[in-house]
Amino acid sequence: MNRERAIEIVQKCIALSGNNPSIEEAKTAILMAQRLMAEHNISDNDIEVSNEQKEVAHNVVVDWGRNPLWKRILASIIAESFRCFWYVRSDNGKTQIIIMGLVADAEIARELYSFAIQCLAKELAKHKYNSSLKNDFIYGFIDGIRLKLSQQTDSNANTLSLGLPVEVRKEVDRLGFVYTTSRGVGSNDDKTAYNIGLQQVENYF
């Protein structure tokens, strides 16, 4: 496949992702577009999309509360995998987690975040861990998601900003945010609980 043909397919994938009632099909379209862009060195400037598809959305994935660190780590992993940026609002000791990106990307990221939380809750209900082991299981589960998503996206980008669309980078800069990248979390105490969490991701992703 030559570069011109790859650009055509990427444009169709982006259009499909933005006008598709199926989250699964939209996610597949975005992942294909990301893969082709990485393989053929295609930048956002090479892609012509509609103004509607260039709009930046700020989607709340975790509403106000005392949210643990692992929820932020999960947000960073999913946001980075779908060309999005994540940030936190704080007020009186409570936080709200937001994923920001082009409308289609941000919607897929929000749906995937919600799905991951549901899967994790289902698994935690099966395993009656104490507080410490519960955290290790959670971090294993999150690392499993990170590994799965890194297999589908371009994991060789040097910085997060390189994977963000121009419109999102401009919004990040306008708001004065700092670019960071996600990383593995590992186990603090019990490798057994961590490894079980890591393995259980296979049931869902």
Side-chain angles (χ1 to χ4, degrees), residues 18-32:
N19 298 280
N20 199 317
S22 168
I23 290 297
E24 186 60 34
E25 289 182 9
K27 183 179 75 171
T28 300
I30 285 292
L31 289 173
M32 179 177 290

Side-chain angles (χ1 to χ4, degrees), residues 23-130:
I23 290 297
E24 186 60 34
E25 289 182 9
K27 183 179 75 171
T28 300
I30 285 292
L31 289 173
M32 179 177 290
Q34 290 176 328
R35 179 176 61 80
L36 288 173
M37 290 176 75
E39 289 178 357
H40 296 273
N41 194 28
I42 299 170
S43 71
D44 291 321
N45 293 331
D46 298 317
I47 308 301
E48 294 182 6
V49 297
S50 68
N51 289 332
E52 182 180 349
Q53 291 168 336
K54 291 182 178 181
E55 292 179 3
V56 176
H58 297 250
N59 289 345
V60 175
V61 294
V62 182
D63 216 342
W64 294 106
R66 300 186 183 280
N67 297 308
L69 176 62
W70 64 262
K71 289 188 177 182
R72 302 186 187 196
I73 296 173
L74 179 59
S76 72
I77 291 169
I78 291 177
E80 186 175 336
S81 297
F82 291 95
R83 308 192 313 159
C84 293
F85 186 91
W86 74 282
Y87 63 95
V88 174
R89 291 194 185 116
S90 300
D91 184 40
N92 293 325
K94 294 183 179 181
T95 58
Q96 186 183 50
I97 303 175
I98 298 101
I99 288 180
M100 173 178 71
L102 297 184
V103 173
D105 297 339
E107 182 60 26
I108 293 169
R110 177 168 60 183
E111 291 294 329
L112 185 58
Y113 190 97
S114 176
F115 177 68
I117 292 293
Q118 292 174 22
C119 296
L120 181 55
K122 184 176 180 180
E123 287 299 319
L124 287 174
K126 297 179 184 177
H127 306 276
K128 306 301 181 181
Y129 289 125
N130 60 33

